[in-house]
Amino acid sequence: MAEPLKPGPTSRVLHCDRSGCRWMGIEPEPYKTEAGGWADITRWSLVGTRGESTRFHLRYFEIAPGGCSSLERHQHEHVVIAVRGHGEILLEDRWEPLHPGDVAYTAPGCVHQVRPVGDEPFGFFCIVDAERDRPVVLDDGASCELR
Amino acid sequence: MAEPLKPGPTSRVLHCDRSGCRWMGIEPEPYKTEAGGWADITRWSLVGTRGESTRFHLRYFEIAPGGCSSLERHQHEHVVIAVRGHGEILLEDRWEPLHPGDVAYTAPGCVHQVRPVGDEPFGFFCIVDAERDRPVVLDDGASCELR
């Protein structure tokens, strides 16, 4: 009934460890290779970097209490889906709360940053175009809490 | 500090109703306009159809108990993130369980279908390329439960 599969990765389910957002066979990666105002954030690359031909990449990030993503802007758009704990996202000059199920859209050029709220890690999926510009990191020397 | 925003949608957070995956300002839509073996499934278009320039679309689907998505295949890839209730996905010839946090990747040409398990609705995000081929629906006349 189906046409033969094209060469490439086969269909699969990444099963999430019920104790949190961890997936069998997917190792954590550093958030970025360069320093720049971020702290206590880890990345898991879920779809787009293992031979898939999607025009987007799906990643999961988790930020420990006291940490934050870098303050940055870029021309590509971000979509964030909050799933674990609670956090907030800076969109230009306002912090917006992010609770599980909330979906944030970051427009081209918008300065943004993400950080947890409370004493639990904040976990979120982030979807970006596979082809994208490099972020401009705006490290103003402030710690994650003080910004 | 930031460059002026390009014309287009501004950054925003779609806040999820805490009672379930519903977002203020986002109306439910029919799953498809054509019949074809699916039942009791609703779509919410979250990102990609409101002036964003992402190369992907983010949608949320919810299937009521007894319902299912259509049995179909297409060359574009699907990424599903399970978030509400429990379900399963057919990938060619095997049904794989989907629990909250599980991520399913559907390869090009793979016959697939999604349905809930148990007596709760099954809700999931689905990410697809913005430019994509039309699904080939393989309606074999079976009901959602019997396939």
Side-chain angles (χ1 to χ4, degrees):
Chain A
M1 188 159 62
E3 290 165 1
L5 292 180
K6 280 183 183 174
T10 52
S11 298
R12 62 183 175 277
V13 177
L14 303 174
H15 289 289
C16 171
D17 179 336
R18 295 282 86 77
S19 65
C21 291
R22 303 288 182 270
W23 296 267
M24 279 171 267
I26 307 288
E27 296 300 318
E29 299 168 23
Y31 169 61
K32 287 186 194 290
T33 48
E34 318 85 38
W38 55 271
D40 297 321
I41 174 167
T42 305
R43 168 204 300 256
W44 284 259
S45 292
L46 298 172
V47 176
T49 57
R50 290 179 182 80
E52 303 93 344
S53 50
T54 50
R55 307 297 293 272
F56 58 87
H57 289 176
L58 173 66
R59 302 90 52 85
Y60 174 75
F61 295 92
E62 209 166 86
I63 314 178
C68 61
S69 66
S70 56
L71 180 71
E72 64 182 38
R73 63 177 156 78
H74 37 67
Q75 285 304 305
H76 65 270
E77 295 147 290
H78 260 176
V79 174
V80 160
I81 306 173
V83 287
R84 183 182 191 190
H86 303 280
E88 56 188 0
I89 186 168
L90 180 69
L91 296 174
E92 288 292 340
D93 54 2
R94 67 181 197 278
W95 286 95
E96 285 254 18
L98 288 178
H99 302 290
D102 287 348
V103 173
Y105 165 78
T106 306
C110 176
V111 174
H112 60 278
Q113 187 173 36
V114 181
R115 64 184 180 191
V117 171
D119 52 10
E120 270 185 279
F122 176 57
F124 57 94
F125 292 100
C126 180
I127 313 153
V128 286
D129 285 352
E131 287 184 30
R132 57 188 184 273
D133 61 323
R134 285 189 70 79
V136 176
V137 175
L138 310 161
D139 182 8
D140 59 4
S143 75
C144 291
E145 294 85 351
L146 292 178
R147 193 162 282 130
Chain B
M1 188 159 63
E3 290 166 2
L5 292 180
K6 280 183 181 173
T10 53
S11 298
R12 62 184 175 277
V13 177
L14 303 174
H15 289 289
C16 169
D17 179 337
R18 296 282 85 78
S19 65
C21 291
R22 302 289 182 270
W23 296 267
M24 278 171 267
I26 307 287
E27 296 300 318
E29 300 168 24
Y31 168 61
K32 288 186 192 288
T33 49
E34 319 84 38
W38 56 271
D40 298 320
I41 175 167
T42 306
R43 167 202 301 255
W44 285 260
S45 292
L46 297 172
V47 176
T49 57
R50 291 179 181 80
E52 303 94 343
S53 50
T54 51
R55 308 296 292 273
F56 58 87
H57 289 174
L58 174 67
R59 302 87 54 84
Y60 173 76
F61 294 92
E62 209 167 85
I63 314 179
C68 61
S69 66
S70 55
L71 180 72
E72 63 182 38
R73 63 176 157 78
H74 37 67
Q75 285 303 307
H76 65 270
E77 295 147 291
H78 261 177
V79 174
V80 160
I81 306 173
V83 287
R84 183 182 190 190
H86 302 280
E88 55 188 1
I89 186 166
L90 179 70
L91 296 174
E92 287 294 339
D93 53 3
R94 68 182 197 276
W95 286 96
E96 285 255 16
L98 289 177
H99 301 289
D102 288 347
V103 174
Y105 165 77
T106 307
C110 176
V111 174
H112 60 279
Q113 187 174 36
V114 181
R115 65 185 179 190
V117 171
D119 53 11
E120 269 185 279
F122 176 56
F124 58 94
F125 291 99
C126 180
I127 313 154
V128 286
D129 285 352
E131 287 184 28
R132 57 188 185 271
D133 61 323
R134 286 189 69 82
V136 176
V137 175
L138 309 162
D139 183 8
D140 58 4
S143 74
C144 291
E145 294 85 351
L146 291 180
R147 192 162 284 131

